[in-house]
Amino acid sequence: MTQSPNTPRSTEPPQPQQSGQPRPAGGETGSGGQEHSPPGEAQAQQAAATVRKWADDLAGMAERAPGDSPARGLVSRAADGGHRAADYLEQRGTGGVAEDLRGFARERPAAFLGSAALAGFALGRVAKAGLAQTAHRKEEG
């Protein structure tokens, strides 16, 4: 785009966005000036609902377990953790989770890298088990 000779040129550089203030992104403001949540936030809400459902299922299992069962306490704690995770996702959204992860990585890089490696290993084992199960089903069928 070219400027006409009559258009004054600004000699000031563009001002950077203040940190802590949201940056406008395409599609965040609809007609009439109403703001819409970014697509990632809708996914965070959906993930929170899924985690909450799993936590509710675990809580139901814990309620039905015998009172002297050691598994009852473990399942109950897992359900409580699931409810806390769902609340966290609903309140902070994906942006808050990413911000917290960045802060954790800066403060404790060794713990962050160790956690990432452990999560990657666990995810790889789950994927490998799923592939083995799929291959086993194909052999039977």
Side-chain angles (χ1 to χ4, degrees):
M1 183 167 130
T2 60
Q3 293 183 338
S4 69
N6 297 336
T7 305
R9 291 186 184 194
S10 174
T11 57
E12 295 180 25
Q15 295 296 317
Q17 184 78 20
Q18 293 279 336
S19 64
Q21 294 195 6
R23 296 183 132 201
E28 285 189 31
T29 304
S31 62
Q34 294 177 338
E35 292 189 20
H36 299 285
S37 61
E41 297 308 312
Q43 290 176 341
Q45 296 302 317
Q46 185 178 7
T50 301
V51 170
R52 187 172 310 284
K53 168 110 177 62
W54 290 346
D56 290 343
D57 291 346
L58 288 171
M61 288 171 57
E63 288 173 6
R64 290 186 295 277
D68 61 344
S69 171
R72 179 181 182 150
L74 291 172
V75 173
S76 180
R77 277 184 261 159
D80 290 343
H83 285 120
R84 283 194 306 274
D87 291 342
Y88 178 83
L89 267 174
E90 285 176 347
Q91 293 169 2
R92 302 277 294 163
T94 55
V97 172
E99 183 180 315
D100 288 347
L101 279 173
R102 279 192 293 271
F104 179 70
R106 282 188 200 109
E107 292 171 14
R108 301 179 63 193
F112 176 77
L113 290 174
S115 299
L118 186 60
F121 176 76
L123 188 59
R125 297 297 297 175
V126 167
K128 185 177 179 181
L131 289 174
Q133 188 175 25
T134 302
H136 180 70
R137 285 184 184 162
K138 285 183 179 180
E139 289 175 2
E140 289 180 348

